[in-house]
Amino acid sequence: MSQFSCQTLLDTSTASLRDVVCDGACRGKSGEECSHRTSLVYPYRGVFMRHVGKADTVAESNQVIFFNRSEDYRVSHPIEGGDACLDVQVDEAILCELAPKEQLRSGALAAFKRPRRRIDPRAQALVALLRYSLRRGIAETLEAETLTLTLIRRSLGERTSHSAATTYGREKLVDRAKLVLSTDLARRWTLAEVATEVGVSPVYLTQVFQQVEAMPLYRYQLRLRLARALDLLGSCPDLTALGLDLGFSSHSHFSASFKQAYGRTPAEFQRALHLR
């Protein structure tokens, strides 16, 4: 059975934030669980799969996963290493105000139609900002609540997120590609290698991935690497080694890619959050 640790970072009438870490010891499907409140779950380390009925969702750092209230689910870990997530809950009336109506199911509950949305790098940076600042006690409650609402708004915005409008089969194919990439973020995969693992031709893989995720496969891999860097900045003093460990060709390559995504270099991000 997998072991969990859960640290409450914020708990007010407006928002509740928890840092949840799972060791992923249970590789198969867990026992059935049920959400008592609707949560927006932001994976920032590792990968897990969420199973609702016959629908499977790959949860990794480029996504926000919706856990709807009163919805039964199971979790599995297809890749070793477990996972860590920021679990965000807000007052239901606030969530209904923030979420576009077309994203919610009709009825009394604040429940999302789709299981996930892809988030942009700035939303990933907000997740890291909330985690680091609250764990170190450098964010006041009002600031943390405001940033939480900003994160949710950005995660649900049409300009800053993406929900796949495609067939079930194509989503499953793309999910297999995501799992392949997540097995080794530092590996410099070739298109042929990924396509072979997925079981399709390179041409078909690139076409379907672009259709489902609205970005090329290589850019998606880059965002996975950068999200991992965000997670490690708090414990890694050697930024050059960090970049090389994540598959970047040099420190300058790592720093430039990080700044393009998050608006700051890794060193600037560390200084801003007092991580150094």
Side-chain angles (χ1 to χ4, degrees):
M1 179 177 295
S2 297
Q3 298 296 315
F4 291 85
S5 67
C6 181
Q7 179 184 4
T8 299
L9 303 178
L10 179 72
D11 190 12
T12 71
S13 60
T14 298
S16 172
L17 274 65
R18 299 183 306 156
D19 195 2
V20 182
V21 179
C22 176
D23 65 7
C26 180
R27 302 291 295 277
K29 292 183 181 180
S30 67
E32 198 167 76
E33 303 174 59
C34 184
S35 303
H36 299 294
R37 293 178 61 185
T38 295
S39 297
L40 284 76
V41 173
Y42 296 86
Y44 63 85
R45 182 190 312 149
V47 178
F48 70 90
M49 292 194 71
R50 198 269 304 269
H51 312 274
V52 178
K54 295 182 179 180
D56 302 327
T57 302
V58 173
E60 36 75 16
S61 54
N62 283 333
Q63 310 280 338
V64 55
I65 311 299
F66 303 119
F67 284 71
N68 291 324
R69 179 155 68 96
S70 302
E71 185 174 71
D72 296 329
Y73 67 91
R74 299 175 188 269
V75 170
S76 65
H77 292 86
I79 297 175
E80 292 183 356
D83 67 90
C85 306
L86 183 69
D87 181 291
V88 178
Q89 298 176 350
V90 295
D91 177 80
E92 193 167 278
I94 293 176
L95 184 57
C96 288
E97 186 177 352
L98 288 170
K101 289 182 174 56
E102 61 271 16
Q103 294 184 26
L104 297 176
R105 298 174 184 170
S106 59
L109 298 180
F112 289 90
K113 293 179 181 178
R114 293 187 175 272
R116 64 187 174 192
R117 290 184 72 87
R118 178 168 52 74
I119 58 175
D120 72 345
R122 299 305 172 94
Q124 292 175 328
L126 280 171
V127 171
L129 176 63
L130 281 163
R131 285 178 46 238
Y132 287 130
S133 59
L134 286 170
R135 290 182 67 176
R136 286 167 171 75
I138 59 176
E140 296 186 5
T141 301
L142 180 60
E143 178 187 6
E145 289 178 320
T146 303
L147 288 175
T148 299
L149 298 188
T150 301
L151 171 62
I152 295 175
R153 188 180 298 110
R154 190 168 192 94
S155 302
L156 305 179
E158 292 302 325
R159 295 183 179 180
T160 54
S161 66
H162 171 74
S163 183
T166 184
T167 64
Y168 177 74
R170 289 183 175 183
E171 281 201 47
K172 293 288 288 182
L173 187 153
V174 168
D175 280 349
R176 292 202 301 272
K178 291 177 183 177
L179 291 177
V180 170
L181 295 178
S182 297
T183 58
D184 188 353
L185 293 181
R187 178 171 171 175
R188 296 184 179 181
W189 293 92
T190 67
L191 184 57
E193 288 171 341
V194 179
T196 298
E197 292 289 333
V198 174
V200 296
S201 74
V203 172
Y204 188 68
L205 175 61
T206 55
Q207 290 175 338
V208 172
F209 200 95
Q210 179 72 42
Q211 290 169 358
V212 173
E213 289 298 333
M215 69 167 57
L217 186 66
Y218 73 87
R219 190 176 299 277
Y220 202 90
Q221 181 196 36
L222 174 63
R223 289 194 178 180
L224 289 175
R225 287 175 171 174
L226 292 173
R228 181 60 174 148
L230 276 177
D231 174 40
L232 293 172
L233 283 180
S235 58
C236 184
D238 189 341
L239 296 180
T240 298
L242 174 60
L244 295 176
D245 288 345
L246 289 174
F248 292 93
S249 58
S250 64
H251 174 70
S252 60
H253 179 209
F254 170 47
S255 185
S257 299
F258 192 97
K259 185 171 184 177
Q260 184 176 26
Y262 303 125
R264 293 174 176 173
T265 66
E268 290 169 343
F269 196 91
Q270 282 186 325
R271 287 194 293 270
L273 291 178
H274 306 286
L275 300 179
R276 290 190 139 182

